[in-house]
Amino acid sequence: MQKVEPIAAITLLYDPACPICLRARHWMSAQKAFVHIEFLPNNSEEAKRRFGEVPWLGEELVVVADRGQVWVGAAAFIVALWALREWRAWSFRLSGTMLAPLAERFFSQVSKNRHWLGTFLHEGCPDGHCRSNPGQPYR
């Protein structure tokens, strides 16, 4: 029997022009995690160099594990929750038979409308494109 190594780290590729994505990134980075989480803007040169072959890069939330697995959209969101200590149980609930279709539809709608929805989260973003200030909380 072949031993499967556990996931020790994930890379979360997010939209840096999306206020919702920036808030989620800031929130996640403040949480305790079971695995190391690297946050990488999906339009960065580093993301293109390392993950340029991923077809959804720049269009959807993407999570890549250190073992090579790739998740996109709602599945990526659930894997991101799975990585967090206080949210792992929710990741299992949301991926279960009863809630998975609802979670998929919810995440899909939020993702499609993320720039429009984000305009309600930040007063200083008249064009809907807020920028993060490295090292500072997103407000």
mmCIF file of all heavy atoms in Angstrom, residues 33-71:
data_model
loop_
_atom_site.group_PDB
_atom_site.id
_atom_site.type_symbol
_atom_site.label_atom_id
_atom_site.label_comp_id
_atom_site.label_asym_id
_atom_site.label_seq_id
_atom_site.Cartn_x
_atom_site.Cartn_y
_atom_site.Cartn_z
ATOM 1 N N ALA A 33 -4.367 28.189 11.699
ATOM 2 C CA ALA A 33 -4.537 27.229 10.609
ATOM 3 C C ALA A 33 -3.860 25.901 10.940
ATOM 4 O O ALA A 33 -2.893 25.852 11.696
ATOM 5 C CB ALA A 33 -3.966 27.796 9.317
ATOM 6 N N PHE A 34 -4.393 24.831 10.347
ATOM 7 C CA PHE A 34 -3.784 23.505 10.455
ATOM 8 C C PHE A 34 -2.595 23.360 9.518
ATOM 9 O O PHE A 34 -1.699 22.572 9.756
ATOM 10 C CB PHE A 34 -4.805 22.411 10.103
ATOM 11 C CG PHE A 34 -5.808 22.148 11.179
ATOM 12 C CD1 PHE A 34 -7.138 22.424 10.974
ATOM 13 C CD2 PHE A 34 -5.430 21.600 12.398
ATOM 14 C CE1 PHE A 34 -8.084 22.162 11.948
ATOM 15 C CE2 PHE A 34 -6.358 21.341 13.387
ATOM 16 C CZ PHE A 34 -7.691 21.619 13.166
ATOM 17 N N VAL A 35 -2.634 24.076 8.399
ATOM 18 C CA VAL A 35 -1.570 24.011 7.398
ATOM 19 C C VAL A 35 -1.106 25.430 7.080
ATOM 20 O O VAL A 35 -1.835 26.397 7.313
ATOM 21 C CB VAL A 35 -2.036 23.304 6.102
ATOM 22 C CG1 VAL A 35 -2.476 21.873 6.375
ATOM 23 C CG2 VAL A 35 -3.138 24.077 5.407
ATOM 24 N N HIS A 36 0.083 25.540 6.542
ATOM 25 C CA HIS A 36 0.587 26.851 6.138
ATOM 26 C C HIS A 36 -0.243 27.345 4.945
ATOM 27 O O HIS A 36 -0.501 26.586 4.002
ATOM 28 C CB HIS A 36 2.063 26.757 5.745
ATOM 29 C CG HIS A 36 2.588 28.029 5.183
ATOM 30 N ND1 HIS A 36 2.843 29.129 5.962
ATOM 31 C CD2 HIS A 36 2.862 28.389 3.911
ATOM 32 C CE1 HIS A 36 3.264 30.109 5.195
ATOM 33 N NE2 HIS A 36 3.290 29.683 3.935
ATOM 34 N N ILE A 37 -0.643 28.618 4.983
ATOM 35 C CA ILE A 37 -1.402 29.221 3.879
ATOM 36 C C ILE A 37 -0.580 30.370 3.302
ATOM 37 O O ILE A 37 -0.227 31.308 4.004
ATOM 38 C CB ILE A 37 -2.769 29.745 4.346
ATOM 39 C CG1 ILE A 37 -3.589 28.642 5.008
ATOM 40 C CG2 ILE A 37 -3.528 30.360 3.159
ATOM 41 C CD1 ILE A 37 -4.865 29.126 5.675
ATOM 42 N N GLU A 38 -0.292 30.262 2.024
ATOM 43 C CA GLU A 38 0.374 31.338 1.300
ATOM 44 C C GLU A 38 -0.698 32.060 0.492
ATOM 45 O O GLU A 38 -1.483 31.426 -0.222
ATOM 46 C CB GLU A 38 1.437 30.766 0.353
ATOM 47 C CG GLU A 38 2.084 31.822 -0.515
ATOM 48 C CD GLU A 38 3.020 31.244 -1.562
ATOM 49 O OE1 GLU A 38 2.983 30.024 -1.816
ATOM 50 O OE2 GLU A 38 3.800 32.032 -2.129
ATOM 51 N N PHE A 39 -0.738 33.378 0.591
ATOM 52 C CA PHE A 39 -1.683 34.189 -0.170
ATOM 53 C C PHE A 39 -0.914 34.835 -1.312
ATOM 54 O O PHE A 39 0.096 35.502 -1.088
ATOM 55 C CB PHE A 39 -2.317 35.261 0.722
ATOM 56 C CG PHE A 39 -3.097 34.686 1.858
ATOM 57 C CD1 PHE A 39 -2.519 34.503 3.102
ATOM 58 C CD2 PHE A 39 -4.416 34.318 1.681
ATOM 59 C CE1 PHE A 39 -3.235 33.965 4.158
ATOM 60 C CE2 PHE A 39 -5.152 33.777 2.730
ATOM 61 C CZ PHE A 39 -4.555 33.603 3.969
ATOM 62 N N LEU A 40 -1.411 34.636 -2.520
ATOM 63 C CA LEU A 40 -0.712 35.130 -3.693
ATOM 64 C C LEU A 40 -1.713 35.799 -4.635
ATOM 65 O O LEU A 40 -2.695 35.170 -5.047
ATOM 66 C CB LEU A 40 -0.030 33.943 -4.393
ATOM 67 C CG LEU A 40 0.993 34.216 -5.473
ATOM 68 C CD1 LEU A 40 2.154 35.060 -4.954
ATOM 69 C CD2 LEU A 40 1.520 32.897 -6.014
ATOM 70 N N PRO A 41 -1.494 37.083 -4.965
ATOM 71 C CA PRO A 41 -2.382 37.738 -5.931
ATOM 72 C C PRO A 41 -2.353 36.978 -7.257
ATOM 73 O O PRO A 41 -1.276 36.624 -7.746
ATOM 74 C CB PRO A 41 -1.787 39.138 -6.089
ATOM 75 C CG PRO A 41 -0.966 39.350 -4.857
ATOM 76 C CD PRO A 41 -0.459 37.994 -4.468
ATOM 77 N N ASN A 42 -3.533 36.723 -7.808
ATOM 78 C CA ASN A 42 -3.610 35.891 -9.018
ATOM 79 C C ASN A 42 -3.034 36.555 -10.262
ATOM 80 O O ASN A 42 -2.790 35.889 -11.253
ATOM 81 C CB ASN A 42 -5.045 35.428 -9.272
ATOM 82 C CG ASN A 42 -6.002 36.572 -9.505
ATOM 83 O OD1 ASN A 42 -5.619 37.697 -9.799
ATOM 84 N ND2 ASN A 42 -7.289 36.288 -9.356
ATOM 85 N N ASN A 43 -2.790 37.862 -10.208
ATOM 86 C CA ASN A 43 -2.239 38.545 -11.372
ATOM 87 C C ASN A 43 -0.752 38.849 -11.210
ATOM 88 O O ASN A 43 -0.166 39.534 -12.038
ATOM 89 C CB ASN A 43 -3.016 39.832 -11.649
ATOM 90 C CG ASN A 43 -2.921 40.821 -10.503
ATOM 91 O OD1 ASN A 43 -2.398 40.517 -9.425
ATOM 92 N ND2 ASN A 43 -3.460 42.012 -10.710
ATOM 93 N N SER A 44 -0.141 38.338 -10.152
ATOM 94 C CA SER A 44 1.272 38.613 -9.905
ATOM 95 C C SER A 44 2.158 37.790 -10.840
ATOM 96 O O SER A 44 1.756 36.735 -11.343
ATOM 97 C CB SER A 44 1.626 38.307 -8.448
ATOM 98 O OG SER A 44 1.555 36.909 -8.202
ATOM 99 N N GLU A 45 3.359 38.281 -11.043
ATOM 100 C CA GLU A 45 4.323 37.544 -11.868
ATOM 101 C C GLU A 45 4.622 36.187 -11.238
ATOM 102 O O GLU A 45 4.794 35.198 -11.944
ATOM 103 C CB GLU A 45 5.603 38.355 -12.056
ATOM 104 C CG GLU A 45 5.430 39.562 -12.964
ATOM 105 C CD GLU A 45 4.900 39.177 -14.343
ATOM 106 O OE1 GLU A 45 5.386 38.190 -14.933
ATOM 107 O OE2 GLU A 45 3.991 39.868 -14.835
ATOM 108 N N GLU A 46 4.695 36.146 -9.906
ATOM 109 C CA GLU A 46 4.954 34.888 -9.205
ATOM 110 C C GLU A 46 3.844 33.877 -9.472
ATOM 111 O O GLU A 46 4.102 32.701 -9.728
ATOM 112 C CB GLU A 46 5.088 35.157 -7.698
ATOM 113 C CG GLU A 46 5.342 33.934 -6.873
ATOM 114 C CD GLU A 46 6.751 33.369 -7.007
ATOM 115 O OE1 GLU A 46 7.608 33.981 -7.658
ATOM 116 O OE2 GLU A 46 6.987 32.284 -6.446
ATOM 117 N N ALA A 47 2.587 34.326 -9.430
ATOM 118 C CA ALA A 47 1.452 33.428 -9.707
ATOM 119 C C ALA A 47 1.517 32.917 -11.140
ATOM 120 O O ALA A 47 1.302 31.722 -11.393
ATOM 121 C CB ALA A 47 0.131 34.144 -9.450
ATOM 122 N N LYS A 48 1.809 33.802 -12.074
ATOM 123 C CA LYS A 48 1.892 33.399 -13.482
ATOM 124 C C LYS A 48 3.038 32.411 -13.701
ATOM 125 O O LYS A 48 2.895 31.449 -14.455
ATOM 126 C CB LYS A 48 2.060 34.630 -14.372
ATOM 127 C CG LYS A 48 0.820 35.500 -14.407
ATOM 128 C CD LYS A 48 1.080 36.783 -15.152
ATOM 129 C CE LYS A 48 -0.060 37.754 -14.959
ATOM 130 N NZ LYS A 48 0.257 39.093 -15.452
ATOM 131 N N ARG A 49 4.169 32.663 -13.026
ATOM 132 C CA ARG A 49 5.320 31.778 -13.182
ATOM 133 C C ARG A 49 5.030 30.393 -12.601
ATOM 134 O O ARG A 49 5.296 29.382 -13.235
ATOM 135 C CB ARG A 49 6.540 32.383 -12.493
ATOM 136 C CG ARG A 49 7.822 31.569 -12.668
ATOM 137 C CD ARG A 49 9.000 32.154 -11.925
ATOM 138 N NE ARG A 49 8.850 32.157 -10.478
ATOM 139 C CZ ARG A 49 8.950 31.069 -9.700
ATOM 140 N NH1 ARG A 49 9.184 29.896 -10.236
ATOM 141 N NH2 ARG A 49 8.821 31.169 -8.394
ATOM 142 N N ARG A 50 4.454 30.356 -11.413
ATOM 143 C CA ARG A 50 4.240 29.081 -10.730
ATOM 144 C C ARG A 50 2.988 28.353 -11.165
ATOM 145 O O ARG A 50 2.946 27.124 -11.166
ATOM 146 C CB ARG A 50 4.182 29.318 -9.218
ATOM 147 C CG ARG A 50 5.525 29.683 -8.644
ATOM 148 C CD ARG A 50 5.462 30.132 -7.200
ATOM 149 N NE ARG A 50 4.762 29.213 -6.335
ATOM 150 C CZ ARG A 50 4.382 29.536 -5.090
ATOM 151 N NH1 ARG A 50 4.652 30.732 -4.597
ATOM 152 N NH2 ARG A 50 3.741 28.675 -4.352
ATOM 153 N N PHE A 51 1.928 29.104 -11.513
ATOM 154 C CA PHE A 51 0.631 28.477 -11.768
ATOM 155 C C PHE A 51 -0.006 28.912 -13.082
ATOM 156 O O PHE A 51 -1.212 28.785 -13.257
ATOM 157 C CB PHE A 51 -0.330 28.788 -10.614
ATOM 158 C CG PHE A 51 0.218 28.431 -9.271
ATOM 159 C CD1 PHE A 51 0.600 29.406 -8.365
ATOM 160 C CD2 PHE A 51 0.374 27.101 -8.903
ATOM 161 C CE1 PHE A 51 1.124 29.073 -7.117
ATOM 162 C CE2 PHE A 51 0.881 26.756 -7.653
ATOM 163 C CZ PHE A 51 1.262 27.745 -6.764
ATOM 164 N N GLY A 52 0.784 29.413 -14.005
ATOM 165 C CA GLY A 52 0.265 29.914 -15.278
ATOM 166 C C GLY A 52 -0.508 28.897 -16.086
ATOM 167 O O GLY A 52 -1.361 29.255 -16.898
ATOM 168 N N GLU A 53 -0.263 27.609 -15.851
ATOM 169 C CA GLU A 53 -0.975 26.568 -16.605
ATOM 170 C C GLU A 53 -2.368 26.291 -16.050
ATOM 171 O O GLU A 53 -3.157 25.590 -16.678
ATOM 172 C CB GLU A 53 -0.157 25.272 -16.631
ATOM 173 C CG GLU A 53 -0.117 24.494 -15.334
ATOM 174 C CD GLU A 53 0.848 25.048 -14.278
ATOM 175 O OE1 GLU A 53 1.587 26.008 -14.552
ATOM 176 O OE2 GLU A 53 0.847 24.508 -13.159
ATOM 177 N N VAL A 54 -2.695 26.858 -14.894
ATOM 178 C CA VAL A 54 -4.032 26.657 -14.314
ATOM 179 C C VAL A 54 -5.021 27.501 -15.115
ATOM 180 O O VAL A 54 -4.910 28.728 -15.151
ATOM 181 C CB VAL A 54 -4.060 27.049 -12.818
ATOM 182 C CG1 VAL A 54 -5.469 26.976 -12.255
ATOM 183 C CG2 VAL A 54 -3.108 26.153 -12.010
ATOM 184 N N PRO A 55 -6.003 26.863 -15.775
ATOM 185 C CA PRO A 55 -6.876 27.605 -16.687
ATOM 186 C C PRO A 55 -7.763 28.660 -16.030
ATOM 187 O O PRO A 55 -8.183 29.595 -16.681
ATOM 188 C CB PRO A 55 -7.740 26.513 -17.340
ATOM 189 C CG PRO A 55 -7.561 25.300 -16.532
ATOM 190 C CD PRO A 55 -6.293 25.441 -15.752
ATOM 191 N N TRP A 56 -8.035 28.566 -14.764
ATOM 192 C CA TRP A 56 -8.949 29.492 -14.085
ATOM 193 C C TRP A 56 -8.230 30.650 -13.432
ATOM 194 O O TRP A 56 -8.853 31.509 -12.834
ATOM 195 C CB TRP A 56 -9.768 28.756 -13.034
ATOM 196 C CG TRP A 56 -10.367 27.507 -13.542
ATOM 197 C CD1 TRP A 56 -11.511 27.386 -14.299
ATOM 198 C CD2 TRP A 56 -9.866 26.197 -13.365
ATOM 199 N NE1 TRP A 56 -11.735 26.073 -14.598
ATOM 200 C CE2 TRP A 56 -10.734 25.313 -14.024
ATOM 201 C CE3 TRP A 56 -8.755 25.663 -12.721
ATOM 202 C CZ2 TRP A 56 -10.526 23.938 -14.053
ATOM 203 C CZ3 TRP A 56 -8.549 24.296 -12.742
ATOM 204 C CH2 TRP A 56 -9.440 23.459 -13.411
ATOM 205 N N LEU A 57 -6.913 30.693 -13.526
ATOM 206 C CA LEU A 57 -6.126 31.726 -12.866
ATOM 207 C C LEU A 57 -6.583 33.109 -13.326
ATOM 208 O O LEU A 57 -6.620 33.398 -14.516
ATOM 209 C CB LEU A 57 -4.637 31.540 -13.176
ATOM 210 C CG LEU A 57 -3.671 32.407 -12.382
ATOM 211 C CD1 LEU A 57 -3.771 32.095 -10.895
ATOM 212 C CD2 LEU A 57 -2.250 32.182 -12.862
ATOM 213 N N GLY A 58 -6.967 33.931 -12.382
ATOM 214 C CA GLY A 58 -7.440 35.276 -12.685
ATOM 215 C C GLY A 58 -8.933 35.379 -12.857
ATOM 216 O O GLY A 58 -9.482 36.475 -12.864
ATOM 217 N N GLU A 59 -9.621 34.258 -12.997
ATOM 218 C CA GLU A 59 -11.070 34.277 -13.191
ATOM 219 C C GLU A 59 -11.826 33.794 -11.965
ATOM 220 O O GLU A 59 -12.946 34.212 -11.719
ATOM 221 C CB GLU A 59 -11.442 33.405 -14.384
ATOM 222 C CG GLU A 59 -10.861 33.898 -15.687
ATOM 223 C CD GLU A 59 -11.109 32.926 -16.813
ATOM 224 O OE1 GLU A 59 -12.068 32.145 -16.745
ATOM 225 O OE2 GLU A 59 -10.317 32.938 -17.766
ATOM 226 N N GLU A 60 -11.230 32.864 -11.233
ATOM 227 C CA GLU A 60 -11.883 32.231 -10.087
ATOM 228 C C GLU A 60 -10.906 32.168 -8.923
ATOM 229 O O GLU A 60 -9.695 32.262 -9.113
ATOM 230 C CB GLU A 60 -12.286 30.789 -10.433
ATOM 231 C CG GLU A 60 -13.325 30.660 -11.497
ATOM 232 C CD GLU A 60 -14.736 30.834 -10.981
ATOM 233 O OE1 GLU A 60 -14.942 30.860 -9.755
ATOM 234 O OE2 GLU A 60 -15.628 30.946 -11.819
ATOM 235 N N LEU A 61 -11.449 31.957 -7.738
ATOM 236 C CA LEU A 61 -10.617 31.636 -6.590
ATOM 237 C C LEU A 61 -9.981 30.278 -6.859
ATOM 238 O O LEU A 61 -10.659 29.337 -7.281
ATOM 239 C CB LEU A 61 -11.475 31.565 -5.321
ATOM 240 C CG LEU A 61 -10.766 31.101 -4.052
ATOM 241 C CD1 LEU A 61 -9.696 32.099 -3.631
ATOM 242 C CD2 LEU A 61 -11.778 30.899 -2.933
ATOM 243 N N VAL A 62 -8.672 30.182 -6.651
ATOM 244 C CA VAL A 62 -7.948 28.932 -6.886
ATOM 245 C C VAL A 62 -7.106 28.634 -5.654
ATOM 246 O O VAL A 62 -6.467 29.527 -5.100
ATOM 247 C CB VAL A 62 -7.033 29.030 -8.134
ATOM 248 C CG1 VAL A 62 -6.172 27.787 -8.291
ATOM 249 C CG2 VAL A 62 -7.858 29.268 -9.389
ATOM 250 N N VAL A 63 -7.121 27.369 -5.228
ATOM 251 C CA VAL A 63 -6.253 26.897 -4.154
ATOM 252 C C VAL A 63 -5.432 25.742 -4.705
ATOM 253 O O VAL A 63 -5.977 24.838 -5.347
ATOM 254 C CB VAL A 63 -7.064 26.443 -2.914
ATOM 255 C CG1 VAL A 63 -6.169 25.757 -1.899
ATOM 256 C CG2 VAL A 63 -7.778 27.635 -2.278
ATOM 257 N N VAL A 64 -4.119 25.800 -4.466
ATOM 258 C CA VAL A 64 -3.211 24.750 -4.908
ATOM 259 C C VAL A 64 -2.492 24.201 -3.678
ATOM 260 O O VAL A 64 -1.942 24.970 -2.884
ATOM 261 C CB VAL A 64 -2.175 25.283 -5.929
ATOM 262 C CG1 VAL A 64 -1.251 24.164 -6.398
ATOM 263 C CG2 VAL A 64 -2.869 25.944 -7.113
ATOM 264 N N ALA A 65 -2.522 22.888 -3.519
ATOM 265 C CA ALA A 65 -1.845 22.244 -2.391
ATOM 266 C C ALA A 65 -0.385 21.976 -2.726
ATOM 267 O O ALA A 65 -0.013 21.878 -3.902
ATOM 268 C CB ALA A 65 -2.536 20.925 -2.040
ATOM 269 N N ASP A 66 0.414 21.829 -1.699
ATOM 270 C CA ASP A 66 1.830 21.526 -1.897
ATOM 271 C C ASP A 66 2.045 20.172 -2.574
ATOM 272 O O ASP A 66 3.113 19.902 -3.102
ATOM 273 C CB ASP A 66 2.589 21.579 -0.572
ATOM 274 C CG ASP A 66 2.043 20.622 0.477
ATOM 275 O OD1 ASP A 66 0.952 20.050 0.293
ATOM 276 O OD2 ASP A 66 2.716 20.458 1.515
ATOM 277 N N ARG A 67 1.026 19.344 -2.611
ATOM 278 C CA ARG A 67 1.111 18.026 -3.266
ATOM 279 C C ARG A 67 0.608 18.076 -4.710
ATOM 280 O O ARG A 67 0.556 17.062 -5.383
ATOM 281 C CB ARG A 67 0.311 16.981 -2.489
ATOM 282 C CG ARG A 67 0.721 16.833 -1.049
ATOM 283 C CD ARG A 67 2.054 16.124 -0.966
ATOM 284 N NE ARG A 67 2.479 16.038 0.415
ATOM 285 C CZ ARG A 67 3.662 16.438 0.838
ATOM 286 N NH1 ARG A 67 4.528 16.939 0.015
ATOM 287 N NH2 ARG A 67 3.985 16.329 2.104
ATOM 288 N N GLY A 68 0.180 19.284 -5.174
ATOM 289 C CA GLY A 68 -0.210 19.446 -6.564
ATOM 290 C C GLY A 68 -1.708 19.469 -6.838
ATOM 291 O O GLY A 68 -2.123 19.768 -7.954
ATOM 292 N N GLN A 69 -2.536 19.159 -5.849
ATOM 293 C CA GLN A 69 -3.978 19.213 -6.079
ATOM 294 C C GLN A 69 -4.409 20.667 -6.309
ATOM 295 O O GLN A 69 -3.851 21.591 -5.721
ATOM 296 C CB GLN A 69 -4.758 18.663 -4.872
ATOM 297 C CG GLN A 69 -4.433 17.253 -4.497
ATOM 298 C CD GLN A 69 -3.389 17.155 -3.396
ATOM 299 O OE1 GLN A 69 -2.437 17.901 -3.353
ATOM 300 N NE2 GLN A 69 -3.589 16.197 -2.505
ATOM 301 N N VAL A 70 -5.417 20.846 -7.171
ATOM 302 C CA VAL A 70 -5.926 22.175 -7.495
ATOM 303 C C VAL A 70 -7.436 22.169 -7.299
ATOM 304 O O VAL A 70 -8.124 21.262 -7.774
ATOM 305 C CB VAL A 70 -5.605 22.572 -8.959
ATOM 306 C CG1 VAL A 70 -6.188 23.929 -9.299
ATOM 307 C CG2 VAL A 70 -4.104 22.554 -9.203
ATOM 308 N N TRP A 71 -7.943 23.197 -6.610
ATOM 309 C CA TRP A 71 -9.376 23.377 -6.430
ATOM 310 C C TRP A 71 -9.736 24.760 -6.943
ATOM 311 O O TRP A 71 -8.946 25.701 -6.838
ATOM 312 C CB TRP A 71 -9.763 23.280 -4.956
ATOM 313 C CG TRP A 71 -9.505 21.943 -4.349
ATOM 314 C CD1 TRP A 71 -10.355 20.872 -4.328
ATOM 315 C CD2 TRP A 71 -8.321 21.520 -3.674
ATOM 316 N NE1 TRP A 71 -9.767 19.815 -3.680
ATOM 317 C CE2 TRP A 71 -8.520 20.178 -3.276
ATOM 318 C CE3 TRP A 71 -7.099 22.119 -3.367
ATOM 319 C CZ2 TRP A 71 -7.563 19.457 -2.578
ATOM 320 C CZ3 TRP A 71 -6.140 21.399 -2.685
ATOM 321 C CH2 TRP A 71 -6.379 20.089 -2.297
#
